[in-house]
Structures are given as C-alpha cells and as structure tokens.
Amino acid sequence: MSSCGLALAPPAKNVVVYRNGDPFFPGRKFVVNQRRFLTFEAFLNEVTKSIRAPLAVRNIYTPRHGHRIAELGDLQDGCQYVAAGFEKFKKLNYLNRGRKELRGTRNSEGLPAGSSYALGCFYCSVFRNGDLLSPPFPLPLFKSTSLQWDALLATLTKKADLRSGAVTKLCRLDGTQVSSEEELVNGDYYVAVGNEEYRKLPYFELLVPQDSACRMLWYVD
C-alpha cells in the first residue's frame, strides 16, 4: 500500500514568548506541535498559564513590529513573540532586555543593576494588597544567598509598609500563595498581603507604567 496519501505532521516549532510591556520578563520557551496544541486557542491558554499573565492572552505579536499572529501555522521555528490580552502591542526592546536596559540604574543594594544581575541577582516586583495608588516596588534576590522565608517576609514588611501591619504572605496576581523563595520567578509580579484576605484587583493594568523608561525607575530604591 502506498504511503503517498498519508499526510505528514508538520515539524515541531520552538518559540520564545515574552509578556507585553514587560522588558524584564525573561521569556518562556514553547514547543509547538500538533500533538500538544490542536488549536491556536489551546496555545493561547497554555501561554497564559506559563507566563502567568495577569489577564488571559488573546493576541500574539512579532516583537519588533507588532505584527499579529493569527494561527499556529504563522509561528516560525526559532522565533520570538509577544503575548498580550486585548490591550495594544507595546513596542519595547524585547530581544535585548536585561543588562542593556538596566545600564545606568542601581538596585536596592546601591550596586549597578546590570552588574548585580550578572552576578546572579534577579528581581520581582511587588504590589501592596488593596492599594491601587502606590506603584510596585522591586524585590532583589541573590541566587547565591540562602534566605529564610521569615527573613524575606520581614524585608517585605519594611518595604511594603502596609496599613494592616506586617506582611504575612506573598501572593501571585491570581491570589495563589507563594511559600518559598524557590517559587519566585524572575521578572514576575506579586502582592504583599498582611493578615487580611488577598484582594484581587487590577494591579498590573493600573499600576504598571506603559513607558519602559518609567518602569526602569522601579529599580532605583
């Protein structure tokens, strides 16, 4: 029997996806094939979960010019893309983030941010629970230093200065609690919470500057 009539599955594509408007997000790698993603919608859902987007991902763009990707077949192997919700594409230097964009800024330890990043320091941004007036503050963490969770909460208490008092827990934007430093992801956003309940509010949408220059000011403590 001839195999000429059998359709070969297209080869898998390896892509990297960044978060729209976030120059410090390191990107997530995805292997796209028919076995894993039957539809473009399934891919969008997986991207939403993997990059921990504050809102559901509904659009994928090319990183340089913001051209919209409409279907799985448009994705190119070895290329990078930007994931967004219904908001407009934010043109940033996604492909050369990190050290170059951090140049000239300083972290909370007073060191040049680029050099400290190279030495194993990474950053998270932390909102204050229920506060839609104060911008997030940076939380630098040194991978080479073992830090007890209680000590981290004490640092958060000092930085957040919550009206409710001490920070007793740290939550992701969806409200799930983080219980160890190992669970923190470089470039992600979290909410410092006291003894009160976590308040699910549009922190990212209202408090994250769209201008990347403004965003870099968060790293000056």
Side-chain angles (χ1 to χ4, degrees), residues 148-211:
Q148 296 296 322
W149 190 245
D150 288 344
L152 182 63
L153 291 178
T155 299
L156 285 169
T157 296
K158 182 178 179 181
K159 284 180 168 289
D161 193 22
L162 296 179
R163 292 181 180 179
S164 57
V167 173
T168 61
K169 52 184 175 287
L170 189 65
C171 296
R172 301 184 181 92
L173 294 185
D174 63 1
T176 58
Q177 190 170 336
V178 179
S179 57
S180 70
E181 184 182 350
E182 288 73 24
E183 295 180 40
L184 297 175
V185 177
N186 182 32
D188 266 5
Y189 296 86
Y190 300 91
V191 180
V193 184
N195 291 319
E196 73 281 3
E197 292 291 324
Y198 169 77
R199 297 186 63 186
K200 192 171 184 179
L201 298 172
Y203 300 100
F204 185 89
E205 296 83 349
L206 297 182
L207 297 177
V208 174
Q210 295 185 8
D211 184 348

Side-chain angles (χ1 to χ4, degrees), residues 75-122:
L75 296 173
Q76 300 297 314
D77 183 43
C79 289
Q80 295 83 29
Y81 298 94
V82 177
F86 289 112
E87 77 276 11
K88 292 182 179 180
F89 169 75
K90 300 182 177 86
K91 191 172 183 180
L92 298 176
N93 194 9
Y94 295 100
L95 304 184
N96 295 289
R97 352 160 313 282
R99 298 176 195 174
K100 183 176 180 181
E101 293 189 15
L102 287 170
R103 187 180 300 156
T105 66
R106 291 185 174 270
N107 63 22
S108 64
E109 305 299 324
L111 299 172
S115 61
S116 65
Y117 190 90
L119 290 172
C121 177
F122 69 97

Side-chain angles (χ1 to χ4, degrees), residues 47-84:
V47 171
T48 299
K49 185 166 54 176
S50 296
I51 71 171
R52 296 178 181 173
L55 294 175
V57 171
R58 285 295 171 261
N59 290 289
I60 300 291
Y61 298 99
T62 59
R64 293 189 186 279
H65 303 292
H67 296 310
R68 186 171 175 270
I69 301 299
E71 56 187 41
L72 287 175
D74 293 338
L75 296 173
Q76 300 297 314
D77 183 43
C79 289
Q80 295 83 29
Y81 298 94
V82 177

